[in-house]
Amino acid sequence: MKKIWQEIRWALPQPFLAISAVIFRFLTPLFKAQRKQSDSPWVIGGHRGRMHADNSGTLHDHIRLHTTQPIIWIANEPLASELRKQGIQVLVRNSLAARLAIFRAPVLIYSHGEDDLDQYAILWRNKLGYRVYLAHCLAHVKAGQFYTMGLEKLGFLRMAIFRWTMVDFDLLPASSELEKKHFALTLPHRQHCTHVGGGAHLDNFLRAAQVPTDGRIVWFPTFRDTLAEAKNLNLVIQSVISDPKILDWLQTTGRTLYVCHHINSQNHSSVIRLPQGAENHIRFCSPTTIPELLSKSDLFISDYSGLTADWLIMDRPAVFFPFDIDSYLKTRRIFIPYPEYHYGPWVKSAQELVDTLVSGKWMDLMPWQEKREHWKDLMFPHREPVYSRETLETIRSRHPLA
């Protein structure tokens, strides 16, 4: 019901936007002819206008740099201004100009939902061009949507509202047959719209795998649904970085530990204190910096992030730290059972994480080699950066006007 409440809450303080969105629904047929023009710009966005990243960001870069297809990115400020400085054609989300571009676009692409492009795009369903839902990362870990705990308890009306607020699309490109299988669990009513030939963001990880590492370590704990779980996460982070052994080890080895918060989580730096003298070896970072940090990292630490699947293709060590997995699985589902999935050390406490890091055992990939190869064979049909090109080819081959 969280998504339902978000839809309602967003509408309340902005009545003009909501009312105009309803009016615009009846105007969309006026732009139908423009969508058939070969030079009409496509429209793309992601993360509700907050980030230029993941599948949408990578595909957008591929289209504008390697094709002649006009394409417009939709973003909130200040991201819109930052992208303009890079010479990227961008419009501000929810603006009149952006809405006109959306109505004219033969193809609309988003990473999370239609509201990546406009807060009220849900009201224009079946009135727009060809809608492509990319999903922002690989669907091999956290599950959601119709594969969510407790849906069977919803009544008819609440289920109808839940279905209405769920992402809708004409095409969902999957990176592999395994991901297509997982999409069928989360969006069973749109299975016929899912086709293998996606995973654009994997190109970034394949290229990053060629970048020399520099001793950094990235720890990315994912979002927790409840305040109690979030507070517990902060306590665990504080416990790890306050352990004298970890700072001594980082200083001795010349390494830096980056602790990154999820885009939907509170910035760790506002609630967690760095120990004295740790400034040069322990740093907090935002989710927008993760791709750059990972490219030079020796190790990735996480719990339930889909990035653990992306990281696998880079052939570097990983440590899995789902310290609260028992409580997490009471409200969440994971596609692959954790005991089968983890392809590196699974640590269950702050002390065990510190001991594992300091020991250096995480550097040895041999104990995990068979499992790593098993999952790579299932998750990655290609071991070279061709996923953006394949995603574009999938869209063009399925687009009714192509």
Side-chain angles (χ1 to χ4, degrees):
M1 300 306 294
K2 182 178 179 182
K3 185 174 178 63
I4 299 173
W5 167 241
Q6 286 177 334
E7 295 288 345
I8 297 171
R9 179 170 56 84
W10 286 336
L12 292 177
Q14 303 182 70
F16 174 76
L17 276 178
I19 293 170
S20 64
V22 174
I23 295 173
F24 279 129
R25 174 177 172 82
F26 298 99
L27 300 179
T28 54
L30 300 177
F31 302 94
K32 195 171 183 179
Q34 291 177 292
R35 295 178 208 143
K36 298 179 181 180
Q37 298 175 7
S38 59
D39 59 346
S40 293
W42 292 5
V43 165
I44 187 170
H47 288 276
R48 296 189 178 92
R50 296 175 293 177
M51 292 175 63
H52 183 275
D54 302 324
N55 276 325
S56 284
T58 308
L59 179 61
H60 175 240
D61 286 340
H62 175 80
I63 291 173
R64 68 186 183 84
L65 295 175
H66 300 289
T67 77
T68 59
Q69 173 60 53
I71 190 163
I72 300 170
W73 185 271
I74 305 293
N76 301 330
E77 294 288 6
L79 177 60
S81 295
E82 295 171 6
L83 294 177
R84 284 195 199 96
K85 292 177 183 177
Q86 301 174 33
I88 294 174
Q89 187 176 7
V90 58
L91 293 173
V92 176
R93 181 170 170 262
N94 297 332
S95 68
L96 175 60
R99 287 183 170 179
L100 291 175
I102 289 170
F103 300 152
R104 294 167 177 156
V107 176
L108 305 104
I109 306 170
Y110 35 88
S111 70
H112 285 70
E114 298 107 308
D115 56 353
D116 287 348
L117 306 180
D118 191 285
Q119 189 168 327
Y120 297 99
I122 192 173
L123 301 177
W124 308 327
R125 282 181 180 169
N126 304 319
K127 299 293 183 180
L128 300 175
Y130 193 66
R131 301 162 303 154
V132 181
Y133 171 47
L134 297 181
H136 68 291
C137 66
L138 296 180
H140 296 309
V141 188
K142 290 186 298 182
Q145 294 154 329
F146 284 96
Y147 197 49
T148 298
M149 300 283 283
L151 284 189
E152 65 280 358
K153 299 178 182 178
L154 296 182
F156 173 79
L157 179 59
R158 294 174 71 190
M159 176 56 81
I161 296 173
F162 181 84
R163 181 184 290 273
W164 179 68
T165 59
M166 194 55 59
V167 61
D168 195 53
F169 50 87
D170 300 304
L171 172 66
L172 171 53
S175 61
S176 63
E177 289 292 344
L178 180 62
E179 187 173 42
K180 181 181 178 181
K181 175 184 174 182
H182 293 160
F183 284 145
L185 293 173
T186 59
L187 298 160
H189 62 302
R190 305 298 284 172
Q191 288 186 58
H192 61 286
C193 298
T194 305
H195 302 277
V196 175
H201 73 287
L202 288 173
D203 290 349
N204 291 338
F205 286 90
L206 285 162
R207 296 187 185 103
Q210 309 305 314
V211 176
T213 61
D214 62 1
R216 68 184 68 182
I217 295 170
V218 174
W219 179 12
F220 178 48
T222 50
F223 178 71
R224 295 318 196 261
D225 291 318
T226 69
L227 181 59
E229 290 174 322
K231 288 182 176 179
N232 186 38
L233 170 60
N234 290 334
L235 289 174
V236 170
I237 296 172
Q238 187 72 71
S239 179
V240 170
I241 67 174
S242 298
D243 192 312
K245 288 192 297 184
I246 198 72
L247 181 56
D248 180 65
W249 175 71
L250 290 170
Q251 291 172 335
T252 301
T253 58
R255 296 184 179 278
T256 303
L257 173 64
Y258 290 85
V259 184
C260 300
H261 68 89
H262 190 273
I263 191 169
N264 295 326
S265 302
Q266 186 177 14
N267 192 326
H268 296 318
S269 62
S270 64
V271 292
I272 299 172
R273 302 185 309 278
L274 278 180
Q276 188 174 2
E279 294 80 8
N280 293 329
H281 293 281
I282 301 176
R283 299 175 183 172
F284 297 114
C285 56
S286 75
T288 59
T289 64
I290 290 178
E292 181 182 356
L293 290 172
L294 287 180
S295 68
K296 297 182 179 180
S297 293
D298 288 322
L299 171 66
F300 183 48
I301 307 167
S302 193
D303 38 40
Y304 317 107
S305 173
L307 283 171
T308 56
D310 300 305
W311 179 255
L312 177 60
I313 207 171
M314 295 181 69
D315 282 319
R316 297 178 189 173
V319 170
F320 294 80
F321 187 32
F323 59 88
D324 57 353
I325 191 167
D326 290 338
S327 63
Y328 190 85
L329 292 181
K330 289 180 180 178
T331 57
R332 287 270 196 167
R333 279 196 171 108
I334 293 178
F335 289 117
I336 303 171
Y338 218 91
E340 297 177 23
Y341 174 69
H342 75 99
Y343 54 85
W346 176 355
V347 297
K348 301 179 181 180
S349 68
Q351 188 60 59
E352 192 176 351
L353 175 60
V354 171
D355 292 342
T356 298
L357 294 178
V358 172
S359 71
K361 292 179 181 179
W362 53 270
M363 298 181 191
D364 185 8
L365 297 182
M366 286 306 298
W368 312 99
Q369 201 60 35
E370 184 176 347
K371 183 181 280 192
R372 293 170 70 94
E373 290 304 316
H374 168 75
W375 289 122
K376 281 195 285 186
D377 287 342
L378 290 176
M379 294 179 182
F380 311 121
H382 311 289
R383 304 292 174 88
E384 57 279 340
V386 298
Y387 291 91
S388 296
R389 188 187 71 206
E390 281 214 342
T391 303
L392 180 58
E393 288 175 354
T394 301
I395 295 172
R396 284 177 167 165
S397 66
R398 298 287 171 178
H399 182 226
L401 297 179

